[in-house]
Amino acid sequence: AACSVMPLRTLALTLLLNPAVGQRALVYLLPPALVGGAVAWWLSLDRHAPRASRPSMPSNPLRFVIALQMVLAFQAELYVDDWVQRTFGASGLLSSAIVVGLTDVDALTYSMVQLGGAQTLPETAAQALAVGVASNTLFKCGIALGIGRPGFRGVAAAGLLAIGAATVAALVLFR
C-alpha cells in the first residue's frame, strides 16, 4: 500500500514545497499515482485473502538515532546533488536520482525541491523525481520477487511493475 501512494505523496510534497517543480512533475507522477490507486483498489477487492497480523509497535516511537541518520542523509543528499548538477549537469542529476531513489525518495524529493528553484532546473528536477520513483518502485519489485513469499510475490510484483511501467512510460512520452 505504501508503494501505491508514494508517487502521489511525492507529487503532493513537491507541489507544496516548490510549485514550479510540482507543476512540471504532474505529467510524470500523476500516471503512476493513478495506477497505484487502481492497484490498491484492486487489491482491496480480494476479501478472501488471509489478513496479516499487526506488527508490534516499536519500543521508542521517537527513534531519535534513526531520525538523526535521516537528517544526515538528507543533508548529504543535498551536497551530493548540488555537486553532481554543477559537475555533470542534467544527465548527472538524472543518474544520481536512480541511485538515491533506490532507497530514499523523500531525500530525493527534498533535494529536487531545493535544486529546482533555479530558473533552468524545474524540468530536470521533475524528471529526476520520476526517475527516482521508478528506480525505487522497480527496486522494491526486485526485492518482492527475490525474497517475497510465494503468495505475495506475484501480486506485489505485478502491482509494482504496473506502477513502474506507468512512471517510465510518462518519462518517455512527456520528456
Side-chain angles (χ1 to χ4, degrees), residues 13-108:
L13 285 171
T14 306
L15 280 165
L16 181 68
L17 297 173
N18 188 332
V21 175
Q23 289 171 356
R24 286 172 175 82
L26 272 169
V27 295
Y28 303 120
L29 296 178
L30 194 56
L34 293 174
V35 169
V39 167
W41 173 78
W42 177 69
L43 290 174
S44 73
L45 295 178
D46 189 9
R47 308 263 187 248
H48 303 291
R51 304 247 174 197
S53 62
R54 288 188 143 233
S56 62
M57 294 297 292
S59 59
N60 179 358
L62 296 178
R63 307 200 65 171
F64 180 73
V65 173
I66 292 174
L68 188 58
Q69 289 172 341
M70 290 298 292
V71 167
L72 293 173
F74 275 36
Q75 194 62 42
E77 171 63 16
L78 284 174
Y79 286 123
V80 168
D81 278 345
D82 183 54
W83 177 80
V84 166
Q85 192 276 326
R86 282 186 285 113
T87 306
F88 301 106
S91 63
L93 203 55
L94 295 176
S95 299
S96 73
I98 293 171
V99 175
V100 174
L102 288 174
T103 58
D104 198 352
V105 174
D106 292 330
L108 179 65

Side-chain angles (χ1 to χ4, degrees), residues 148-155:
R149 292 188 178 143
F152 172 79
R153 185 179 303 146
V155 173

Side-chain angles (χ1 to χ4, degrees), residues 124-174:
T124 302
Q127 290 171 359
L129 285 170
V131 166
V133 166
S135 170
N136 185 274
T137 303
L138 297 174
F139 180 66
K140 288 176 182 173
C141 180
I143 290 172
L145 287 171
I147 63 173
R149 292 188 178 143
F152 172 79
R153 185 179 303 146
V155 173
L160 290 166
L161 281 174
I163 295 168
T167 310
V168 171
L171 278 164
V172 169
L173 291 172
F174 301 118

